[in-house]
Amino acid sequence: MPRALIVDDDLAFQLGLAEAVRREGLEVSTASNLAEARAEAARGAPDAVLLDLSLPDGSGMELLPELEALPEPPDIILITGQATVETAVEALRRGVADYLTKPVDFARVKMALANLTRTRELREEIGSLRGELRSLGRFGHLIGASPAMQGVYDLLARVARTDASVLLTGETGTGKEVAAQTIHRLSRRHKEPFVAVNCGAVSASLIESELFGHERGSFTGADRTHKGVFEQAHRGTLFLDEITEMPHELQVRLLRVLETESLTRVGGSEMLRVDVRVVAAANRGAEEAVSAGRLREDLLYRLNVFPVLLPPLRERGEDVELLANHFLAELNREEGTDKQFAPSALTRLRVHSWPGNVRELRNVVQRAFIVSDDVIGTDALPLRPPVAGEPEAAREQGLTIHPGTPIAEAERRLILATLEHCERDKKKTAEALGISLKTLYNRLNEYGGGRGAGGAAS
Ligand SMILES: Nc1ncnc2c1ncn2[C@@H]1O[C@H](COP(=O)(O)OP(=O)(O)OP(=O)(O)O)[C@@H](O)[C@H]1O
Ligand SMILES: [Mg+2]
């Protein structure tokens, strides 16, 4: 039988809660202060701890790291008298499973405990996904094995099981929407709706009713009651794309909905409760949008409980090849073909700077697939080959190397870009780089696509 530890100094409350938890089929032990809780947690190896925040000998928060450090860390449900957003945010950041506010609604206790089972399953699922990604370079629908993407996977895995709001930022085409879907898929809400709305694509006059719905007759043309996306996403996940395009006054309303978990439709007066996990996305830095006055700071703070930055494709190294082959394999499967990239084509893809990121890559592969027979060569890639002396060209070669790039990776990119620049003439390339022709051949061989990175073996 799973075990729960209840830590609360209000004995009458402790008793009532213990009763409710027992009814859910858990064995219950209790503690009235931090010291007792420590002893009890060490002795009883609880599966769940229901923890009051204000205890006679300190804050329940102090216990979090100790509980996390147990051999089998329990799930933690916080109980708090003051329902401040700050507490919730801080607690979710530190990985608690859920939190209840006093006076506790016993129906909520039941739900929180039921969710725990799901959370355990999810942990295992995420664990296996992590294993999968290490070997195959995938995580949910996301493809990529680069260190930059592994960092993203870790964050997504950690945040998915909580209800915390997430803010995804990244250039266009970096996979923000795919990341949002992945969060939903790995959350305990995965069987409920995932609803996406692009705040930049809905006209300012319609967006309020699009988000919050409207009552019949609330404005000309509102001939029937309309449920907004918040209601449609009830119990599920709402993806608010291009959040910075949302008009200011609506940002205020959105913030209120997030804080009160309830809304009124346009032209309505009834308060409707909504249980929605919000994932928002912005193309550029959110802080930048705040200073430009396009995003309210309080809304950013509320959404930014868990920021995740999707790195640009040009910083993902080998992922370009992985993704290109993935998209090609998809097309081959659909069309029953077996087209392959010529090694020179892969080199060309690797040195491009991909301003449109993964979306651009996908389009380029699609086009190349259509115009090619069995082998996809560089001529099928509409990527303008760099022209010497043109500053634009230098940028297109993707030679932005960021601090922290491993030297071997920087060297690889430099060599491949120079090779392209010298129109694949290896003698010229070696001269330009100040290395021997033999060294160049060796490097090209190491890069796997060696044969191709320009016929190194010839
Ligand atoms: N890591 C990835 N693995 C596989 N496919 C990806 C990945 N990232 C993006 N894609 C694909 O690239 C395309 C663009 O992705 P997505 O729409 O998620 O980008 P975005 O960041 O939301 O872009 P925008 O800011 O322009 O809306 C989609 O077709 C998506 O399936
Ligand atoms: Mg998008």
Side-chain angles (χ1 to χ4, degrees), residues 43-276:
R43 199 182 59 78
D47 298 288
V49 177
L50 290 91
L51 179 62
D52 189 6
L53 276 184
S54 52
L55 291 162
D57 51 348
S59 161
M61 285 288 202
E62 291 171 34
L63 220 51
L64 294 184
E66 297 167 39
L67 293 172
E68 271 299 310
L70 288 174
E72 295 264 331
D75 288 311
I76 297 161
I77 299 178
L78 288 184
I79 306 166
T80 160
Q82 316 92 307
T84 61
V85 175
E86 285 76 9
T87 320
V89 164
E90 173 66 15
L92 288 169
R93 271 202 183 125
R94 295 173 71 162
V96 311
D98 209 337
Y99 86 118
L100 304 166
T101 51
K102 277 186 185 174
V104 171
D105 168 3
F106 288 112
R108 271 284 287 139
V109 175
K110 189 177 166 139
M111 210 168 80
L113 291 174
N115 281 339
L116 290 186
T117 327
R118 178 67 198 134
T119 307
R120 292 209 166 250
E121 284 168 29
L122 277 173
R123 264 198 207 152
E124 279 157 27
E125 210 171 302
I126 287 167
S128 70
L129 270 165
R130 276 196 182 152
E132 189 191 354
L133 75 93
R134 294 277 131 85
S135 53
L136 294 171
R138 313 173 162 242
F139 185 75
H141 298 295
L142 292 162
I143 309 279
S146 58
M149 285 308 282
Q150 306 252 354
V152 169
Y153 300 156
D154 282 342
L155 285 175
L156 296 180
R158 199 144 15 111
V159 76
R161 71 189 172 96
T162 74
D163 265 347
S165 307
V166 180
L167 181 63
L168 301 165
T169 52
E171 293 174 11
T172 181
T174 45
K176 297 184 290 294
E177 182 143 8
V178 191
Q181 286 161 347
T182 303
I183 292 173
H184 177 70
R185 192 181 138 190
L186 295 178
S187 77
R188 56 186 176 219
R189 299 170 175 267
H190 72 298
K191 290 196 178 118
E192 307 293 340
F194 173 87
V195 180
V197 57
N198 186 331
C199 305
V202 184
S203 76
S205 61
L206 283 181
I207 191 161
E208 182 169 18
S209 115
E210 179 70 20
L211 288 176
F212 310 115
H214 62 247
E215 296 291 348
R216 187 167 164 229
S218 53
F219 52 87
T220 328
D223 47 10
R224 62 175 87 165
T225 300
H226 170 72
K227 281 191 181 181
V229 287
F230 262 96
E231 280 179 78
Q232 292 168 31
H234 186 52
R235 294 183 192 285
T237 306
L238 178 59
F239 177 51
L240 294 174
D241 207 354
E242 296 192 36
I243 186 85
T244 51
E245 300 307 309
M246 184 182 284
H248 239 241
E249 26 347 318
L250 280 191
Q251 294 186 16
V252 182
R253 266 201 83 178
L254 172 63
L255 183 61
R256 214 162 46 228
V257 173
L258 293 176
E259 277 173 354
T260 60
E261 298 180 356
S262 55
L263 57 82
T264 49
R265 295 188 188 128
V266 175
S269 53
E270 191 194 349
M271 276 289 235
L272 303 166
R273 284 200 69 76
V274 282
D275 168 18
V276 168

Side-chain angles (χ1 to χ4, degrees), residues 363-393:
N363 292 341
V364 164
V365 172
Q366 243 155 14
R367 182 188 174 280
F369 180 88
I370 295 168
V371 302
S372 306
D373 296 324
D374 294 347
V375 176
I376 300 175
T378 44
D379 50 341
L381 303 173
L383 306 172
R384 204 164 56 90
V387 180
E390 205 184 311
E392 186 55 13

